[in-house]
Amino acid sequence: MKDRGYQRNLIAGAIGAFGMLLGDLSLSLVEPGAEDAGLFLREAYLQGGYPAWKLVFLLISGMIGVFGYWFGLKAIHASLDDRCKKTKCCFRYCSMIYCFTGLAIHFGIGAGAYMTSYVAANIGRDAAILMATEYGAHVVPAFYIVYPAMGFLFLALLVMTASGKTIYSKKMLLMQPIIWMAVCALIPDIRQALGSRMYTLDYVITQSSGNFAPFIYFLACLLLPERFKMKKVPACK
């Protein structure tokens, strides 16, 4: 698809995913501790490793990110077969949920990391652990609202590509976000199950997978040769 608007939407999507990825990196580029648990009880945070400027950076990059994501998801929506009306309708509404909640979740995680660092440095380590535990127990479950929408978006894209109901060839299954998310999420889990020591890279891979995978997909749609990524005639069976 050579439409300029479509290409601009893909570029915006790549920029958006990269913006969110930068926020992920601000959270995950920390040295793992032996007793780290969850998103907030990390030794690096308990030692003041998440200052206020990182939270501001996460918020600004996140605002850019969700803005770009909307256009990127709009491009994916346009790549689906027009005859699959119900799927496209659901995809559009899930895109809205994903974008509207994405920044809130991004900021919520950053706020938890910052409060943990601030309380540990200014009040005490035990108070920070108690606060982070309480915050995580109440706030993290609220994040789950976005997971069904995100799951539908990328699972629908996978199924539609596999069944030939997009403008792209089945070779683009290699670039599917949901596959790369699963790979990135499983690698650290497998290493941990094997008793390997956790490194900063493990945090980066796990926490960045949700935005790294769409970033790769948007770039693939933009940069791969058309003879590889495109199919001649979309079909909806």
Side-chain angles (χ1 to χ4, degrees):
M1 184 179 286
K2 298 181 179 180
D3 178 75
R4 289 184 179 180
Y6 179 80
Q7 296 293 327
R8 284 196 298 267
N9 286 343
L10 285 175
I11 293 171
I15 293 172
F18 184 71
M20 296 293 278
L21 181 59
L22 290 176
D24 291 334
L25 292 175
S26 78
L27 290 161
S28 58
L29 283 173
V30 296
E31 184 68 25
E35 297 183 3
D36 286 2
L39 292 170
F40 309 118
L41 288 177
R42 296 180 175 179
E43 186 62 33
Y45 298 164
L46 292 169
Q47 293 181 1
Y50 200 83
W53 72 263
K54 285 190 175 184
L55 182 60
V56 174
F57 175 78
L58 179 144
L59 179 59
I60 294 173
S61 63
M63 288 188 290
I64 296 170
V66 294
F67 180 77
Y69 251 125
W70 172 250
F71 291 98
L73 292 173
K74 188 177 178 181
I76 295 177
H77 179 271
S79 73
L80 305 180
D81 195 298
D82 287 334
R83 290 170 287 183
C84 303
K85 293 181 180 179
K86 291 182 179 180
T87 300
K88 293 193 71 168
C89 181
C90 290
F91 192 95
R92 183 174 182 82
Y93 284 119
C94 287
S95 297
M96 292 179 184
I97 295 172
Y98 186 68
C99 291
F100 293 162
T101 58
L103 181 57
I105 292 174
H106 215 48
F107 182 74
I109 296 173
Y114 169 67
M115 288 188 292
T116 302
S117 291
Y118 182 87
V119 173
N122 294 279
I123 299 176
R125 181 185 180 91
D126 290 341
I129 292 173
L130 181 62
M131 185 281 303
T133 303
E134 189 79 4
Y135 181 84
H138 289 85
V139 173
V140 171
F143 295 165
Y144 297 157
I145 189 175
V146 75
Y147 292 160
M150 181 173 69
F152 176 83
L153 287 174
F154 298 120
L155 185 60
L157 178 60
L158 175 68
V159 172
M160 296 283 277
T161 304
S163 58
K165 297 176 182 178
T166 77
I167 63 172
Y168 295 112
S169 73
K170 292 183 181 180
K171 294 178 182 178
M172 288 294 282
L173 288 170
L174 297 172
M175 302 297 169
Q176 289 300 300
I178 198 167
I179 293 176
W180 286 102
M181 287 179 193
V183 170
C184 291
L186 285 173
I187 288 174
D189 289 343
I190 293 172
R191 281 175 33 77
Q192 195 169 24
L194 293 174
S196 301
R197 177 188 171 189
M198 298 296 287
Y199 292 94
T200 300
L201 183 60
D202 294 299
Y203 276 175
V204 170
I205 291 173
T206 301
Q207 201 151 354
S208 303
S209 61
N211 292 303
F212 173 74
F215 177 65
I216 292 299
Y217 183 77
F218 290 134
L219 286 184
C221 292
L222 281 166
L223 303 178
L224 287 177
E226 290 202 6
R227 64 179 180 274
F228 176 88
K229 66 184 180 183
M230 303 298 290
K231 69 185 182 69
K232 293 182 180 180
V233 181
C236 185
K237 298 180 181 179

